[in-house]
Amino acid sequence: MRRNETPEGKSVRVLRVGEQVRHALSEVLMRGDVHDDVLAKHSVSVTEVRMSPDLRHATAFVKPLLGADEGVVLKALRTNTAYLQSEVARRVNTKYAAKLKFLVDESFDEGSHIDAVLRRPEIARDLDNED
């Protein structure tokens, strides 16, 4: 393992830049700098940004507040990608401006599903018997 890599294999620099991009995107969306009616009506959380190893591509995982109108919000973000890329490039000092790609974060739905399965009576009964 290289000195600048985490046990998961990603370099610390890639993770750090991903967090900087996440913060920059969150700030732009929170301030309402994007002049879009859909984005003005919805609060959008940027839950994670994954950078490519060369830092030229960024995949932003987003979730509208309460999961409302995910498709509409995602379309608005994709429509305003050029503006968001320029704002991120201005705020995050890297050699190249990262190309942004937006995806809906499904991890909350997966967590809710797992929680619902664990609360089913037959599963809860088995879990209680293990004690």
Side-chain angles (χ1 to χ4, degrees):
M1 181 167 60
R2 284 191 235 150
R3 199 181 78 189
N4 63 344
E5 287 188 358
T6 62
E8 294 82 27
K10 293 183 180 179
S11 76
V12 174
R13 182 168 187 243
V14 169
L15 296 172
R16 182 176 41 83
V17 172
E19 271 301 293
Q20 289 175 342
V21 170
R22 186 181 72 80
H23 283 280
L25 268 175
S26 296
E27 185 179 334
V28 170
L29 293 171
M30 182 183 68
R31 289 180 178 230
D33 292 345
V34 183
H35 301 294
D36 186 286
D37 293 337
V38 173
L39 296 177
K41 292 177 188 173
H42 293 86
S43 294
V44 180
S45 295
V46 182
T47 56
E48 181 182 2
V49 173
R50 293 184 189 159
M51 301 296 297
S52 64
D54 63 0
L55 303 177
R56 290 185 184 217
H57 300 277
T59 303
F61 292 90
V62 296
K63 189 76 171 175
L65 188 64
L66 303 176
D69 302 327
E70 288 178 347
V72 176
V73 170
L74 196 59
K75 184 177 179 186
L77 287 168
R78 289 176 177 165
T79 302
N80 293 290
T81 298
Y83 174 75
L84 292 167
Q85 282 177 184
S86 67
E87 286 298 307
V88 168
R90 218 171 42 78
R91 289 171 160 79
V92 179
N93 188 20
T94 55
K95 187 173 183 178
Y96 301 101
K99 301 261 188 242
L100 293 176
K101 177 181 169 184
F102 294 99
L103 296 175
V104 174
D105 189 352
E106 303 291 337
S107 62
F108 293 107
D109 299 334
E110 291 174 23
S112 297
H113 173 71
I114 291 170
D115 187 52
V117 167
L118 291 175
R119 291 180 186 276
R120 290 189 351 216
E122 61 274 12
I123 303 294
R125 182 187 63 234
D126 290 344
L127 291 175
D128 288 340
N129 288 341
E130 288 181 3
D131 295 336

mmCIF file with all atom_site columns, all heavy atoms in Angstrom, residues 116-127:
data_model
loop_
_atom_site.group_PDB
_atom_site.id
_atom_site.type_symbol
_atom_site.label_atom_id
_atom_site.label_alt_id
_atom_site.label_comp_id
_atom_site.label_asym_id
_atom_site.label_entity_id
_atom_site.label_seq_id
_atom_site.pdbx_PDB_ins_code
_atom_site.Cartn_x
_atom_site.Cartn_y
_atom_site.Cartn_z
_atom_site.occupancy
_atom_site.B_iso_or_equiv
_atom_site.pdbx_formal_charge
_atom_site.auth_seq_id
_atom_site.auth_comp_id
_atom_site.auth_asym_id
_atom_site.auth_atom_id
_atom_site.pdbx_PDB_model_num
ATOM 1  N N   . ALA A 1 116 ? -36.714 -1.665  8.153  1.00 0.00 ? 116 ALA A N   1
ATOM 2  C CA  . ALA A 1 116 ? -38.056 -2.260  8.092  1.00 0.00 ? 116 ALA A CA  1
ATOM 3  C C   . ALA A 1 116 ? -37.984 -3.785  8.157  1.00 0.00 ? 116 ALA A C   1
ATOM 4  O O   . ALA A 1 116 ? -38.802 -4.423  8.831  1.00 0.00 ? 116 ALA A O   1
ATOM 5  C CB  . ALA A 1 116 ? -38.767 -1.815  6.813  1.00 0.00 ? 116 ALA A CB  1
ATOM 6  N N   . VAL A 1 117 ? -37.008 -4.369  7.480  1.00 0.00 ? 117 VAL A N   1
ATOM 7  C CA  . VAL A 1 117 ? -36.853 -5.832  7.506  1.00 0.00 ? 117 VAL A CA  1
ATOM 8  C C   . VAL A 1 117 ? -36.503 -6.286  8.916  1.00 0.00 ? 117 VAL A C   1
ATOM 9  O O   . VAL A 1 117 ? -37.058 -7.276  9.413  1.00 0.00 ? 117 VAL A O   1
ATOM 10 C CB  . VAL A 1 117 ? -35.777 -6.285  6.488  1.00 0.00 ? 117 VAL A CB  1
ATOM 11 C CG1 . VAL A 1 117 ? -35.382 -7.728  6.713  1.00 0.00 ? 117 VAL A CG1 1
ATOM 12 C CG2 . VAL A 1 117 ? -36.271 -6.078  5.067  1.00 0.00 ? 117 VAL A CG2 1
ATOM 13 N N   . LEU A 1 118 ? -35.607 -5.591  9.582  1.00 0.00 ? 118 LEU A N   1
ATOM 14 C CA  . LEU A 1 118 ? -35.215 -5.994  10.936 1.00 0.00 ? 118 LEU A CA  1
ATOM 15 C C   . LEU A 1 118 ? -36.341 -5.838  11.951 1.00 0.00 ? 118 LEU A C   1
ATOM 16 O O   . LEU A 1 118 ? -36.337 -6.502  12.990 1.00 0.00 ? 118 LEU A O   1
ATOM 17 C CB  . LEU A 1 118 ? -33.988 -5.196  11.388 1.00 0.00 ? 118 LEU A CB  1
ATOM 18 C CG  . LEU A 1 118 ? -32.695 -5.519  10.651 1.00 0.00 ? 118 LEU A CG  1
ATOM 19 C CD1 . LEU A 1 118 ? -31.588 -4.580  11.098 1.00 0.00 ? 118 LEU A CD1 1
ATOM 20 C CD2 . LEU A 1 118 ? -32.297 -6.970  10.863 1.00 0.00 ? 118 LEU A CD2 1
ATOM 21 N N   . ARG A 1 119 ? -37.290 -4.985  11.666 1.00 0.00 ? 119 ARG A N   1
ATOM 22 C CA  . ARG A 1 119 ? -38.417 -4.790  12.590 1.00 0.00 ? 119 ARG A CA  1
ATOM 23 C C   . ARG A 1 119 ? -39.580 -5.747  12.333 1.00 0.00 ? 119 ARG A C   1
ATOM 24 O O   . ARG A 1 119 ? -40.539 -5.753  13.115 1.00 0.00 ? 119 ARG A O   1
ATOM 25 C CB  . ARG A 1 119 ? -38.907 -3.345  12.506 1.00 0.00 ? 119 ARG A CB  1
ATOM 26 C CG  . ARG A 1 119 ? -37.911 -2.365  13.064 1.00 0.00 ? 119 ARG A CG  1
ATOM 27 C CD  . ARG A 1 119 ? -38.434 -0.935  12.972 1.00 0.00 ? 119 ARG A CD  1
ATOM 28 N NE  . ARG A 1 119 ? -37.425 0.012   13.367 1.00 0.00 ? 119 ARG A NE  1
ATOM 29 C CZ  . ARG A 1 119 ? -37.164 0.375   14.614 1.00 0.00 ? 119 ARG A CZ  1
ATOM 30 N NH1 . ARG A 1 119 ? -37.860 -0.155  15.593 1.00 0.00 ? 119 ARG A NH1 1
ATOM 31 N NH2 . ARG A 1 119 ? -36.216 1.240   14.889 1.00 0.00 ? 119 ARG A NH2 1
ATOM 32 N N   . ARG A 1 120 ? -39.528 -6.541  11.288 1.00 0.00 ? 120 ARG A N   1
ATOM 33 C CA  . ARG A 1 120 ? -40.595 -7.508  11.043 1.00 0.00 ? 120 ARG A CA  1
ATOM 34 C C   . ARG A 1 120 ? -40.646 -8.480  12.211 1.00 0.00 ? 120 ARG A C   1
ATOM 35 O O   . ARG A 1 120 ? -39.602 -8.870  12.768 1.00 0.00 ? 120 ARG A O   1
ATOM 36 C CB  . ARG A 1 120 ? -40.366 -8.245  9.725  1.00 0.00 ? 120 ARG A CB  1
ATOM 37 C CG  . ARG A 1 120 ? -40.583 -7.338  8.541  1.00 0.00 ? 120 ARG A CG  1
ATOM 38 C CD  . ARG A 1 120 ? -40.601 -7.993  7.194  1.00 0.00 ? 120 ARG A CD  1
ATOM 39 N NE  . ARG A 1 120 ? -40.232 -9.381  7.086  1.00 0.00 ? 120 ARG A NE  1
ATOM 40 C CZ  . ARG A 1 120 ? -39.560 -9.887  6.067  1.00 0.00 ? 120 ARG A CZ  1
ATOM 41 N NH1 . ARG A 1 120 ? -39.157 -9.109  5.083  1.00 0.00 ? 120 ARG A NH1 1
ATOM 42 N NH2 . ARG A 1 120 ? -39.290 -11.171 6.016  1.00 0.00 ? 120 ARG A NH2 1
ATOM 43 N N   . PRO A 1 121 ? -41.842 -8.886  12.624 1.00 0.00 ? 121 PRO A N   1
ATOM 44 C CA  . PRO A 1 121 ? -41.978 -9.720  13.832 1.00 0.00 ? 121 PRO A CA  1
ATOM 45 C C   . PRO A 1 121 ? -41.140 -11.000 13.817 1.00 0.00 ? 121 PRO A C   1
ATOM 46 O O   . PRO A 1 121 ? -40.507 -11.341 14.816 1.00 0.00 ? 121 PRO A O   1
ATOM 47 C CB  . PRO A 1 121 ? -43.475 -10.060 13.875 1.00 0.00 ? 121 PRO A CB  1
ATOM 48 C CG  . PRO A 1 121 ? -44.129 -9.000  13.074 1.00 0.00 ? 121 PRO A CG  1
ATOM 49 C CD  . PRO A 1 121 ? -43.141 -8.558  12.044 1.00 0.00 ? 121 PRO A CD  1
ATOM 50 N N   . GLU A 1 122 ? -41.120 -11.714 12.690 1.00 0.00 ? 122 GLU A N   1
ATOM 51 C CA  . GLU A 1 122 ? -40.375 -12.979 12.655 1.00 0.00 ? 122 GLU A CA  1
ATOM 52 C C   . GLU A 1 122 ? -38.859 -12.747 12.749 1.00 0.00 ? 122 GLU A C   1
ATOM 53 O O   . GLU A 1 122 ? -38.154 -13.545 13.354 1.00 0.00 ? 122 GLU A O   1
ATOM 54 C CB  . GLU A 1 122 ? -40.719 -13.798 11.402 1.00 0.00 ? 122 GLU A CB  1
ATOM 55 C CG  . GLU A 1 122 ? -40.398 -13.143 10.075 1.00 0.00 ? 122 GLU A CG  1
ATOM 56 C CD  . GLU A 1 122 ? -41.500 -12.225 9.532  1.00 0.00 ? 122 GLU A CD  1
ATOM 57 O OE1 . GLU A 1 122 ? -42.448 -11.900 10.266 1.00 0.00 ? 122 GLU A OE1 1
ATOM 58 O OE2 . GLU A 1 122 ? -41.375 -11.829 8.372  1.00 0.00 ? 122 GLU A OE2 1
ATOM 59 N N   . ILE A 1 123 ? -38.375 -11.644 12.215 1.00 0.00 ? 123 ILE A N   1
ATOM 60 C CA  . ILE A 1 123 ? -36.952 -11.326 12.298 1.00 0.00 ? 123 ILE A CA  1
ATOM 61 C C   . ILE A 1 123 ? -36.628 -10.829 13.713 1.00 0.00 ? 123 ILE A C   1
ATOM 62 O O   . ILE A 1 123 ? -35.622 -11.242 14.305 1.00 0.00 ? 123 ILE A O   1
ATOM 63 C CB  . ILE A 1 123 ? -36.550 -10.260 11.253 1.00 0.00 ? 123 ILE A CB  1
ATOM 64 C CG1 . ILE A 1 123 ? -36.902 -10.702 9.842  1.00 0.00 ? 123 ILE A CG1 1
ATOM 65 C CG2 . ILE A 1 123 ? -35.086 -9.887  11.383 1.00 0.00 ? 123 ILE A CG2 1
ATOM 66 C CD1 . ILE A 1 123 ? -36.138 -11.891 9.341  1.00 0.00 ? 123 ILE A CD1 1
ATOM 67 N N   . ALA A 1 124 ? -37.476 -9.963  14.264 1.00 0.00 ? 124 ALA A N   1
ATOM 68 C CA  . ALA A 1 124 ? -37.240 -9.446  15.609 1.00 0.00 ? 124 ALA A CA  1
ATOM 69 C C   . ALA A 1 124 ? -37.240 -10.582 16.632 1.00 0.00 ? 124 ALA A C   1
ATOM 70 O O   . ALA A 1 124 ? -36.431 -10.602 17.554 1.00 0.00 ? 124 ALA A O   1
ATOM 71 C CB  . ALA A 1 124 ? -38.303 -8.407  15.958 1.00 0.00 ? 124 ALA A CB  1
ATOM 72 N N   . ARG A 1 125 ? -38.129 -11.550 16.435 1.00 0.00 ? 125 ARG A N   1
ATOM 73 C CA  . ARG A 1 125 ? -38.181 -12.710 17.335 1.00 0.00 ? 125 ARG A CA  1
ATOM 74 C C   . ARG A 1 125 ? -36.875 -13.490 17.280 1.00 0.00 ? 125 ARG A C   1
ATOM 75 O O   . ARG A 1 125 ? -36.313 -13.868 18.320 1.00 0.00 ? 125 ARG A O   1
ATOM 76 C CB  . ARG A 1 125 ? -39.358 -13.605 16.953 1.00 0.00 ? 125 ARG A CB  1
ATOM 77 C CG  . ARG A 1 125 ? -39.534 -14.817 17.848 1.00 0.00 ? 125 ARG A CG  1
ATOM 78 C CD  . ARG A 1 125 ? -40.606 -15.772 17.357 1.00 0.00 ? 125 ARG A CD  1
ATOM 79 N NE  . ARG A 1 125 ? -40.205 -16.304 16.056 1.00 0.00 ? 125 ARG A NE  1
ATOM 80 C CZ  . ARG A 1 125 ? -40.959 -16.256 14.951 1.00 0.00 ? 125 ARG A CZ  1
ATOM 81 N NH1 . ARG A 1 125 ? -42.142 -15.707 14.973 1.00 0.00 ? 125 ARG A NH1 1
ATOM 82 N NH2 . ARG A 1 125 ? -40.501 -16.763 13.804 1.00 0.00 ? 125 ARG A NH2 1
ATOM 83 N N   . ASP A 1 126 ? -36.337 -13.712 16.074 1.00 0.00 ? 126 ASP A N   1
ATOM 84 C CA  . ASP A 1 126 ? -35.063 -14.431 15.946 1.00 0.00 ? 126 ASP A CA  1
ATOM 85 C C   . ASP A 1 126 ? -33.913 -13.651 16.565 1.00 0.00 ? 126 ASP A C   1
ATOM 86 O O   . ASP A 1 126 ? -33.009 -14.230 17.156 1.00 0.00 ? 126 ASP A O   1
ATOM 87 C CB  . ASP A 1 126 ? -34.768 -14.715 14.474 1.00 0.00 ? 126 ASP A CB  1
ATOM 88 C CG  . ASP A 1 126 ? -35.707 -15.749 13.887 1.00 0.00 ? 126 ASP A CG  1
ATOM 89 O OD1 . ASP A 1 126 ? -36.374 -16.454 14.668 1.00 0.00 ? 126 ASP A OD1 1
ATOM 90 O OD2 . ASP A 1 126 ? -35.778 -15.836 12.648 1.00 0.00 ? 126 ASP A OD2 1
ATOM 91 N N   . LEU A 1 127 ? -33.935 -12.347 16.406 1.00 0.00 ? 127 LEU A N   1
ATOM 92 C CA  . LEU A 1 127 ? -32.877 -11.523 16.978 1.00 0.00 ? 127 LEU A CA  1
ATOM 93 C C   . LEU A 1 127 ? -32.935 -11.528 18.489 1.00 0.00 ? 127 LEU A C   1
ATOM 94 O O   . LEU A 1 127 ? -31.899 -11.511 19.170 1.00 0.00 ? 127 LEU A O   1
ATOM 95 C CB  . LEU A 1 127 ? -32.959 -10.096 16.439 1.00 0.00 ? 127 LEU A CB  1
ATOM 96 C CG  . LEU A 1 127 ? -32.606 -9.924  14.954 1.00 0.00 ? 127 LEU A CG  1
ATOM 97 C CD1 . LEU A 1 127 ? -32.843 -8.486  14.527 1.00 0.00 ? 127 LEU A CD1 1
ATOM 98 C CD2 . LEU A 1 127 ? -31.178 -10.335 14.684 1.00 0.00 ? 127 LEU A CD2 1
#
